Amino acid sequence: MKSISSAPAKIILFGEHFVVHGVKALLCTIDKRVIVSSNQIDEKVIKIKSTLGNLSTNISSKSIDEQKNPLKPFLYIARKILEKNNTNSGIEIEINSEIPIGVGLGSSSACCVAAAASISGIFDKLSREQILKLAIEAEREIFQKTSGADCAVCTYGGLIEFNAKEGFSNLESKMDFSLVIANSKETHSTNHIVHKVQDFKDKHQELFSSFCDKENMIIEKALGALEENNLVVFGQLMSKNQDLLDQLGVTTAKLRNLVNVARGTSYGAKITGAGGGGCIIGLVDDSNLDNTLANLKNQDSECFVSKIDYNGLT
Ligand code: MEV
């Protein structure tokens, strides 16, 4: 039996990094997806075929090589599900993604969510809550400190407010906007940047705590702007969020330039995701979309336009 699942890429509108330290974040999903298909096979192996590489390993043996393998989260999910279903058969997994890897669009989380749904779907249908739990556990195999925000939005889709302690809720908004997304083509390691921010926090505790307070205020105001459909204020707050991220040291020269170019025509712009490379977003509507896109395209970046995708995991 073949089980196929798909999960969307994500954008962090507000709160990356601070969310790891207890602050709220606002996230949404966009219309770029990963599709994972899984098949039960007689051979006692887990076979993975993906753009991150291919792997074939015995269902129970854990070789040293696997420790640093980027496919480790999928092995974790496959083993956990085979164990739970008490079966000696193997699994063949194929991952096809249109989400660029390592640029802050949640490729790893979307893959974990789609893989958890696809692999478990061979045996029984897990609830979204169970899939999310499994996906976060799997992602922790390669990124221990994850807040879980990315997996949550990739599972439920739409626009969400996330808090690592209190959970998350879907937000309803009539605010009509698009995001111009510009990929700097500088790849990053989320794990590395998150540790860099932890070092910053350890060295500058009071300053970091004042940043968290400011971020909290920015997000409360952003929630108000969402309710009032105020794109102008929402954009200004995104730019304020960027200033804090810049002071945290997660912006590169290229990202700073892209943000400045986007700010020239959009309602506001910031990096999205861990930073240290990856993507920036500019908030636009029909009045300034074309100009923002054209200006960013002139800056040696890969650009595209997205709107919120409400489908989540399918
Ligand atoms: C990465 O997309 C977002 C971070 O806040 C890490 C996390 O929340 O797990 C940097």
Side-chain angles (χ1 to χ4, degrees):
M1 178 203 159
K2 201 169 203 168
S3 163
I4 304 177
S5 296
S6 158
K10 70 95 204 341
I11 293 288
I12 302 189
L13 295 165
F14 291 93
E16 49 273 272
H17 287 296
F18 298 106
V19 67
V20 176
H21 302 273
V23 176
K24 235 183 233 177
L26 299 190
L27 304 94
C28 67
T29 44
I30 55 168
D31 51 357
K32 282 204 179 293
R33 291 193 155 253
V34 55
I35 298 173
V36 179
S37 44
S38 314
N39 226 346
Q40 193 170 13
I41 52 176
D42 291 337
E43 246 179 304
K44 292 185 181 17
V45 288
I46 300 168
K47 285 188 191 169
I48 305 175
K49 213 174 125 190
S50 85
T51 36
L52 285 175
N54 299 333
L55 188 126
S56 180
T57 183
N58 189 282
I59 50 172
S60 47
S61 83
K62 288 192 182 155
S63 74
I64 309 277
D65 278 3
E66 281 175 27
Q67 293 309 319
K68 286 190 182 139
N69 198 306
L71 301 174
K72 207 176 159 200
F74 313 117
L75 287 176
Y76 175 88
I77 295 169
R79 288 203 174 109
K80 190 113 196 204
I81 289 171
L82 287 173
E83 239 170 69
K84 183 176 165 231
N85 289 283
N86 213 0
T87 165
N88 263 333
S89 58
I91 295 185
E92 201 170 43
I93 305 159
E94 190 173 332
I95 303 169
N96 286 303
S97 181
E98 54 183 21
I99 310 173
I101 296 165
V103 294
L105 299 180
S107 131
S108 149
S109 302
C111 285
C112 286
V113 168
S118 162
I119 301 169
S120 62
I122 297 175
F123 302 97
D124 52 4
K125 199 168 163 13
L126 298 186
S127 66
R128 283 192 182 216
E129 202 180 342
Q130 289 169 313
I131 288 167
L132 172 59
K133 188 168 171 278
L134 185 56
I136 293 177
E137 273 173 30
E139 194 165 39
R140 292 217 159 108
E141 289 286 295
I142 46 166
F143 172 31
Q144 269 242 299
K145 281 176 84 74
T146 180
S147 65
D150 292 7
C151 282
V153 76
C154 291
T155 305
Y156 288 88
L159 181 64
I160 73 162
E161 173 185 336
F162 178 93
N163 180 311
K165 277 204 195 98
E166 290 156 23
F168 63 91
S169 53
N170 274 93
L171 296 172
E172 296 214 348
S173 167
K174 292 197 176 65
M175 199 164 86
D176 188 24
F177 64 88
S178 296
L179 294 166
V180 177
I181 299 161
N183 179 356
S184 66
K185 298 188 272 181
E186 302 171 311
T187 52
H188 66 195
S189 148
T190 302
N191 203 7
H192 173 76
I193 315 280
V194 166
H195 278 98
K196 209 176 132 188
V197 171
Q198 180 67 49
D199 283 349
F200 181 100
K201 180 182 177 182
D202 294 342
K203 283 193 193 117
H204 312 279
Q205 289 194 13
E206 272 181 31
L207 184 62
F208 187 80
S209 154
S210 77
F211 285 176
C212 288
D213 292 344
K214 284 183 185 156
E215 183 70 24
N216 258 321
M217 263 155 40
I218 288 173
I219 292 178
E220 288 313 317
K221 286 184 184 161
L223 286 167
L226 257 186
E227 243 179 73
E228 290 163 10
N229 287 332
N230 196 332
L231 209 53
V232 174
V233 170
F234 199 75
Q236 286 166 350
L237 291 163
M238 272 171 53
S239 293
K240 279 200 171 149
N241 190 157
Q242 171 61 25
D243 296 340
L244 286 181
L245 290 165
D246 217 356
Q247 291 178 68
L248 263 191
V250 298
T251 312
T252 64
K254 189 162 182 191
L255 289 171
R256 201 169 296 119
N257 174 52
L258 290 174
V259 165
N260 286 336
V261 169
R263 277 184 187 177
T265 44
S266 66
Y267 293 105
K270 62 183 274 295
I271 63 164
T272 185
C279 293
I280 68 115
I281 49 172
L283 184 76
V284 294
D285 62 11
D286 289 347
S287 70
N288 52 4
L289 191 159
D290 290 343
N291 282 345
T292 307
L293 188 61
N295 292 344
L296 285 167
K297 274 189 175 161
N298 283 334
Q299 304 294 320
D300 183 33
S301 66
E302 276 161 7
C303 305
F304 58 97
V305 181
S306 274
K307 277 182 121 52
I308 298 182
D309 177 282
Y310 285 92
N311 295 320
L313 171 70
T314 58

